[in-house]
Amino acid sequence: MKHIILSFLFFTIISIPAKSQQPAAQKDTFVLVHGAHRIGKRTDAAMQRWRGYGLGQFIHWGLYAIPGGEWNGKQYNGAAEWLRSWGEVRKSAYDSLIYQFNPIKFDATEWAKIAKQMGARYVTFTTKHHDGFCMWPSKYSNFTVAQSPYKKDIVKQVVDAYEKEGIDVYLYFSIMDWHNPDWRYDIKTTEDSIAFDRFKKYTRNQLIELLTRYPTIKGLWFDGTWDKSWVKQAAFADSLETEMRKIHPGIIIGSRFRADENGKRHFDSNGRLMGDYEQGWERKIPNKIEDVHGNDWDCVMTIPENQWGYNKAWKGHIKTPNELIEMLAKCVSLSGNFVLNFGPKGDGSIRKEEADIARQIGDWMKENSEAIYDCGYAGLPKQDWGYFTKKDSANKIYMIVCNVPVSDGLRVDAPKGLTIAKTYPLSDTSLQPTVEEIGNNSYFIHLKHKEHKKPFVIVLETKKEKSYNKYEDAKT
Ligand code: H76
């Protein structure tokens, strides 16, 4: 009997699933020193602002933009910004690209204007990607813009120009650094450990340098944190994060920066989100509200399949403005932000294909951003025609329609107690929507005009009303 009880207990304990997320009310299984330090969402003004952005821009720019995915006339199969890791590329030859870095067409103001017109409310800019090249004149490295023919501080120009346009700036920083000889993928020997200690100091110095040089930035976007060497640094990374937050109160840091003492990333061993928002939605979007477990999140997306830095070839499926607008709508409908990546050329100009896409998204945003900015999950069941969004306090629900059904009639199932008072299109007045009630709190929105070239928004003005069942449920 004793044996049965013991084995029962044993199995109960070990079968507690290491859930990837959990509601705040659930009890913790593990006592952690370097796990999440907050339960639930941040509620301060800085985070509230982040939550309302809706649309952001990502920029990947560095030495890799010069070869643009091509080396000695051959096309690299991977992402252009990973070129240095390709077997065909001699590392020293790649690093010599620094002597070619002189982007004569770089104009941060022009970039910022493109982002502004697109409707982006924040930008994340690569200060240092995996290749280790610093876009600011770091004191702690001799592989920076300062040693290039260009000489000037790029990060400062980006920060100033974007802020002038009213766009919040976040700095991307790769922990993994292929150029620094002290970088390790894992720590196996004493020598590794000594080298990596130097690497940790270098990393801390650079981060404090960035926060000191650019005190107006709103956050840091970390990358290259997945290797064992860094995953083992729970205590160091935790204290560094605390230090950064002290230097810069209100700073926003996602879940990619550090692991807990058991090596768990993004979510600690108790399933709690580490950092201010979930930073795992890269080139993928959650499908339903349950997938985000009540956490803040954003999605970073490339226009081609997986190219962040400039790639001359621009091959494979290139997402269209309509696809991207639909992704934006989907993210916002699930209370996330959508961040679209741009990879400027080696000369500093933004390629025409990207500029055109930005302009078309911007044209759409100009008419429809009311359904994006400061909007989130509306609480209505998803329908196949598109996405509902809603602002917190308003009595309006937005329908972002991306797929018009052949049967006509855009279905809306409102929650009990909520009825539609009025409906109108946000921009295209030719739609002239009419409402047909088809059941208890269920409607079809019919449209006059049916030829659509891009997504459109129908506004539902709602009112609270006592519901009573006019329609009888089936008895089964
Ligand atoms: C893998 C990887 C990196 N993470 C993306 C955000 C890009 O920076 C890509 O190079």
Side-chain angles (χ1 to χ4, degrees):
M1 184 63 188
K2 201 171 148 201
H3 177 75
I4 293 171
I5 291 172
L6 274 180
S7 61
F8 170 77
L9 275 175
F10 179 68
F11 281 111
T12 318
I13 291 164
I14 61 150
S15 66
I16 291 170
K19 283 192 191 155
S20 63
Q21 283 115 358
Q22 65 175 22
Q26 194 170 319
K27 270 219 178 123
D28 286 348
T29 312
F30 299 93
V31 179
L32 296 172
V33 181
H34 305 298
H37 297 314
R38 188 195 60 251
I39 293 176
K41 290 181 176 184
R42 257 173 71 169
T43 54
D44 57 290
M47 200 65 205
Q48 203 52 42
R49 184 176 167 95
W50 185 94
R51 224 163 259 143
Y53 288 145
L55 178 61
Q57 184 191 39
F58 211 148
I59 295 191
H60 274 71
W61 199 42
L63 291 185
Y64 42 80
I66 300 171
E70 199 181 288
W71 198 256
N72 289 336
K74 280 192 215 156
Q75 271 293 322
Y76 173 49
N77 256 336
E81 73 283 1
W82 278 69
L83 188 89
R84 192 186 187 275
S85 69
W86 191 19
E88 303 249 344
V89 176
R90 225 176 355 108
K91 310 302 171 211
S92 60
Y94 180 94
D95 291 350
S96 294
L97 288 170
I98 186 174
Y99 305 116
Q100 288 180 49
F101 190 76
N102 195 13
I104 45 171
K105 290 191 184 159
F106 171 58
D107 179 355
T109 303
E110 204 176 300
W111 288 12
K113 285 200 157 62
I114 290 174
K116 181 75 180 179
Q117 191 278 336
M118 180 172 84
R121 298 220 285 191
Y122 69 127
V123 66
T124 303
F125 181 70
T126 48
T127 60
K128 182 185 84 167
H129 204 264
H130 310 333
D131 67 3
F133 182 67
C134 303
M135 301 296 270
W136 82 101
S138 175
K139 275 199 292 202
Y140 306 100
S141 167
N142 53 17
F143 193 50
T144 83
V145 278
Q147 287 80 37
S148 77
Y150 183 72
K151 291 196 172 63
K152 285 169 280 189
D153 182 349
I154 302 260
V155 175
K156 177 156 176 48
Q157 295 178 62
V158 169
V159 172
D160 291 349
Y162 276 76
E163 285 181 349
K164 207 164 162 207
E165 292 294 336
I167 299 173
D168 286 352
V169 181
Y170 291 71
L171 300 182
Y172 168 108
F173 183 92
S174 170
I175 298 288
M176 175 167 73
D177 185 321
W178 298 327
H179 182 81
N180 190 320
D182 291 330
W183 165 256
R184 294 290 181 281
Y185 291 92
D186 199 354
I187 300 163
K188 290 184 177 148
T189 64
T190 319
E191 193 279 321
D192 287 343
S193 167
I194 294 167
F196 209 71
D197 276 348
R198 283 194 299 265
F199 186 80
K200 278 150 61 179
K201 284 204 186 85
Y202 156 77
T203 300
R204 175 177 170 270
N205 283 336
Q206 286 206 321
L207 288 170
I208 291 172
E209 186 181 40
L210 285 173
L211 290 176
T212 315
R213 287 182 69 100
Y214 316 105
T216 54
I217 60 153
K218 303 287 189 264
L220 291 166
W221 204 98
F222 287 100
D223 202 13
T225 55
W226 44 74
D227 287 302
K228 286 199 183 107
S229 53
W230 183 254
V231 171
K232 287 175 182 169
Q233 308 304 326
F236 171 77
D238 193 7
S239 80
L240 180 52
E241 187 176 323
T242 306
E243 194 180 359
M244 292 190 288
R245 291 187 188 281
K246 210 162 160 188
I247 295 172
H248 195 316
I251 196 171
I252 293 172
I253 298 173
S255 63
R256 231 182 249 206
F257 180 59
R258 64 183 178 90
D260 77 2
E261 53 263 56
N262 301 319
K264 287 270 180 195
R265 303 178 61 239
H266 297 279
F267 296 92
D268 71 15
S269 305
N270 291 313
R272 299 196 186 282
L273 181 69
M274 289 185 285
D276 300 321
Y277 65 96
E278 190 186 350
Q279 212 188 334
W281 298 102
E282 179 170 319
R283 290 186 292 125
K284 59 178 187 251
I285 303 176
N287 270 318
K288 48 189 191 314
I289 197 70
E290 290 76 16
D291 296 343
V292 298
H293 303 268
N295 291 312
D296 286 310
W297 64 278
D298 72 2
C299 162
V300 292
M301 187 58 74
T302 48
I303 297 174
E305 195 264 320
N306 181 28
Q307 297 291 335
W308 300 83
Y310 174 69
N311 191 323
K312 287 180 196 165
W314 198 244
K315 60 179 186 243
H317 174 65
I318 304 295
K319 296 175 192 78
T320 64
N322 280 349
E323 277 177 82
L324 295 164
I325 293 166
E326 176 156 1
M327 288 177 171
L328 165 67
K330 187 173 182 181
C331 289
V332 173
S333 78
L334 299 173
S335 295
N337 293 323
F338 181 70
V339 182
L340 187 61
N341 181 70
F342 290 72
K345 294 187 190 176
D347 66 8
S349 63
I350 292 185
R351 71 189 312 152
K352 190 181 175 304
E353 296 94 331
E354 286 183 351
D356 286 348
I357 287 170
R359 193 178 19 76
Q360 290 177 68
I361 294 174
D363 290 347
W364 187 86
M365 284 292 280
K366 201 167 171 202
E367 296 180 327
N368 299 295
S369 66
E370 190 187 318
I372 299 293
Y373 294 150
D374 305 302
C375 286
Y377 180 60
L380 274 67
K382 164 94 177 70
Q383 301 291 344
D384 290 340
W385 48 253
Y387 308 92
F388 289 111
T389 67
K390 188 183 185 319
K391 291 194 207 303
D392 259 354
S393 52
N395 63 339
K396 278 182 196 170
I397 290 171
Y398 302 100
M399 299 166 62
I400 308 180
V401 183
C402 300
N403 305 289
V404 179
V406 286
S407 60
D408 187 24
L410 309 173
R411 187 169 176 129
V412 175
D413 291 334
K416 259 206 165 83
L418 203 74
T419 53
I420 298 175
K422 212 169 137 192
T423 165
Y424 53 91
L426 207 49
S427 58
D428 183 354
T429 46
S430 72
L431 296 169
Q432 294 179 21
T434 55
V435 181
E436 181 196 1
E437 189 187 82
I438 57 167
N440 298 315
N441 292 88
S442 284
Y443 308 89
F444 272 144
I445 310 293
H446 296 282
L447 304 170
K448 179 114 187 264
H449 171 74
K450 294 195 189 77
E451 297 291 310
H452 306 288
K453 296 235 164 359
K454 54 187 178 182
F456 55 87
V457 177
I458 306 282
V459 185
L460 305 177
E461 279 192 13
T462 56
K463 58 176 187 234
K464 294 209 167 86
E465 241 174 20
K466 208 170 173 300
S467 297
Y468 59 97
N469 283 358
K470 275 196 274 180
Y471 304 86
E472 204 180 324
D473 286 341
K475 290 180 182 58
T476 58

